[in-house]
Amino acid sequence: MDQTIRPASADRVASAPGSDRLVVLDALRGFAALGILWRNIFVFGLPTVAFSLPEEWGENVVSNVATWLYVVIFVDGTMRGMFSLIFGATALLLLDRYARRPGGLLAADLYFRRLMWLVVFGLVHGYVLLWPHDVLYVYGILGMFLFAFRNMSGRRLLLIGLAIFAVSSLKDGTGWSLDQISNDAFDASQTESLEGSGGAQPGGDALPADPAPIAAGPAEVETSETEDEVAMFEELERLALAEMDERLAGYTDLVRTLALETFQEQTTLFFTDHVLDVGAMMFFGMALFRLGAFSGRWTSGQYAVMAVIGLAGGLVLGFLIHGATAVPGYSEWSIGSADAYLYNLRRLLLCLGLIGLANLLARGRVSRTLLMPFTAVGRIPLTTYVGQTVICVALFYGVGLGLFGTLEHHQLLGIAFAINLAQVVFAFIWLKLVGQGPLEALLRRLVGIGIETGRH
């Protein structure tokens, strides 16, 4: 006999008068969909080593450093975290909606079919459209596990999220990872093998014995440091030029190169990083949904506290991590080696602050208009997210205009804002004419929602 998904009790379902809940969720989803480009465009347009060297890459140092600070303090990790958080909340929203429909296992069937197709979209996005850092694949896989937690209370979901969050922060702070341990173990075994064979390398002569150390004078030390710095920049330049050659190649070569990165993201890094990183945020999103944070059930004062503490705390923490070392006169404020432990806390605070702010804006007739562009984009997030990849590949890679490595930090961020504006205009026009994004419509058709629920 078919079994239905048990709907949560009324006191645990996040409900609100009108469509406030959908406005907030759509607005936050749209903001994350637009904002994630503010970080991703540097992956599309700059060599990896160049992003963290805004003083060295380009001529407009002040604008480049300011752009870099904006990204690393506010954007980096925050938009991905918001995406994950909203995905968790939306998963419960969909399951609650499906549970109210007749049809037994049809509700679960629709949910899992949606996620399976999301995995397919992620594979196409990564391997065919050339974006190794795709999140659709990760969300599709992890979203399947959320089904087992659909009837948990908000408090229990919050505890699970905090536990995963703590492990993730500890892993980041200590640098512990299964991938690194595996590489270290391999290197150790290779070293032991060489030592056991008398220091001989395969196909080569025995390694010479280390000469006795000779104390160096101050002049020699200074010269050595200068030579090391020169050698470091030469190596960075070599890496940047090599990456430029790769990105400016033809489509076949790009597929061959980026497929390796995509495979690593969807296999090794999925287990070492994404399960904890994304999983914690998904559980936070589910918990906040159950606790009514997206439904307008909290008071304006509670949302205001959430917005102020979250945004102020996240920005201050981000400045102490990155800004203190980049802005002259604030070096003593730097939190030093503790930054890796606090990366997750910074972005979580910023996400909570944005949720509080969105709820406050949704309560006023005038202020709600500020959410309209994000709400429109939030209704077509899949089209927006994948569309950014298509546009950036056409702009920066060898299959298009080949602008990779030719622009500075502030110029790339300006292009990201221009793409955002075009996507907002597209969202308004497309929704008015069609009512649903093209990729969202394709996903619904593949899932079979219109046919199996009797809605077209």
Side-chain angles (χ1 to χ4, degrees):
M1 179 182 297
D2 287 352
Q3 297 178 354
T4 60
I5 301 176
R6 180 173 64 84
S9 58
D11 62 337
R12 289 190 294 158
V13 175
S15 58
S19 59
D20 283 357
R21 176 183 62 187
L22 295 178
V23 167
V24 171
L25 283 177
D26 283 344
L28 291 169
R29 188 186 300 111
F31 183 77
L34 295 173
I36 203 168
L37 181 62
W38 304 340
R39 177 62 180 92
N40 288 348
I41 197 163
F42 295 97
V43 182
F44 282 114
L46 274 184
T48 303
V49 298
F51 174 71
S52 298
L53 297 172
E55 307 96 332
E56 307 295 335
W57 190 268
E59 299 178 354
N60 198 326
V61 175
V62 175
S63 295
N64 288 338
V65 171
T67 298
W68 178 79
L69 286 174
Y70 168 72
V71 173
V72 297
I73 291 176
F74 178 68
V75 179
D76 190 27
T78 305
M79 301 305 162
R80 186 180 72 252
M82 181 63 74
F83 245 149
S84 305
L85 199 149
I86 296 301
F87 185 90
T90 304
L92 286 188
L93 176 64
L94 291 174
L95 287 171
D96 284 346
R97 285 180 175 176
Y98 290 159
R100 298 187 188 102
R101 298 174 181 174
L105 285 178
L106 175 60
D109 183 49
L110 291 174
Y111 178 75
F112 281 101
R113 262 194 277 173
R114 178 188 293 270
L115 294 174
M116 290 173 65
W117 278 110
L118 206 59
V119 170
V120 174
F121 274 60
L123 292 172
V124 174
H125 193 206
Y127 288 101
V128 179
L129 298 182
L130 308 176
W131 182 233
H133 307 286
D134 163 79
V135 298
L136 302 177
Y137 175 90
V138 178
Y139 289 178
I141 297 294
L142 292 183
M144 297 182 187
F145 293 91
L146 300 184
F147 183 84
F149 302 89
R150 67 192 182 280
N151 293 318
M152 275 193 176
S153 67
R155 291 182 179 180
R156 290 188 176 183
L157 291 169
L158 184 60
L159 289 175
I160 295 175
L162 287 172
I164 301 175
F165 179 84
V167 174
S168 179
S169 299
L170 182 63
K171 178 189 76 70
D172 290 343
T174 59
W176 184 91
S177 74
L178 294 175
D179 187 38
Q180 187 61 46
I181 289 175
S182 177
N183 290 335
D184 291 344
F186 177 79
D187 293 340
S189 66
Q190 292 294 98
T191 301
E192 290 179 2
S193 177
L194 288 174
E195 291 176 349
S197 60
Q201 295 180 343
D205 298 327
L207 295 174
D210 292 335
I214 301 176
E220 293 176 327
V221 172
E222 184 176 348
T223 302
S224 177
E225 291 178 351
T226 303
E227 292 176 350
D228 290 343
E229 186 175 335
V230 171
M232 180 189 70
F233 278 103
E234 288 179 348
E235 177 63 13
L236 292 177
E237 182 179 5
R238 185 191 67 79
L239 292 173
L241 292 174
E243 189 171 351
M244 290 177 66
D245 288 340
E246 291 178 352
R247 296 301 187 268
L248 296 177
Y251 181 78
T252 303
D253 290 331
L254 280 168
V255 170
R256 186 181 299 111
T257 300
L258 295 177
L260 298 175
E261 295 184 33
T262 302
F263 182 77
Q264 184 182 29
E265 287 282 345
Q266 296 181 349
T267 54
T268 304
L269 293 179
F270 176 84
F271 291 103
T272 61
D273 295 336
H274 302 326
V275 169
L276 296 175
D277 178 301
V278 176
M281 287 297 184
M282 284 185 175
F283 274 100
F284 283 138
M286 295 168 69
L288 290 172
F289 179 82
R290 283 283 181 248
L291 294 172
F294 299 107
S295 66
R297 281 167 39 190
W298 295 8
T299 66
S300 295
Q302 289 173 319
Y303 286 125
V305 170
M306 188 179 186
V308 172
I309 293 179
L311 291 174
L315 291 175
V316 169
L317 198 56
F319 179 80
L320 295 179
I321 294 174
H322 299 289
T325 57
V327 179
Y330 289 90
S331 57
E332 69 275 8
W333 292 70
S334 176
I335 57 178
S337 59
D339 59 348
Y341 289 97
L342 300 173
Y343 169 81
N344 282 325
L345 179 59
R346 173 190 61 83
R347 65 196 194 103
L348 176 60
L349 285 172
L350 290 172
C351 286
L352 294 176
L354 291 171
I355 293 171
L357 179 60
N359 276 279
L360 288 175
L361 294 175
R363 295 198 165 194
R365 293 183 178 179
V366 177
S367 59
R368 184 180 295 200
T369 60
L370 298 176
L371 297 179
M372 290 177 60
F374 306 113
T375 302
V377 173
R379 292 176 58 187
I380 59 169
L382 186 59
T383 298
T384 301
Y385 178 59
V386 176
Q388 291 170 356
T389 297
V390 175
I391 294 172
C392 288
V393 167
L395 286 176
F396 298 109
Y397 288 178
V399 294
L401 298 180
L403 297 178
F404 185 85
T406 64
L407 301 175
E408 300 180 24
H409 289 67
H410 70 281
Q411 294 172 323
L412 287 171
L413 186 59
I415 291 177
F417 288 146
I419 294 173
N420 284 167
L421 179 60
Q423 290 187 309
V424 169
V425 173
F426 173 83
F428 276 121
I429 296 175
W430 189 272
L431 289 174
K432 184 175 182 179
L433 296 177
V434 181
Q436 193 174 32
L439 290 186
E440 285 74 15
L442 175 60
L443 179 61
R444 283 181 64 90
R445 180 169 291 277
L446 292 171
V447 173
I449 292 179
I451 297 175
E452 303 206 19
T453 61
R455 301 194 319 176
H456 302 280

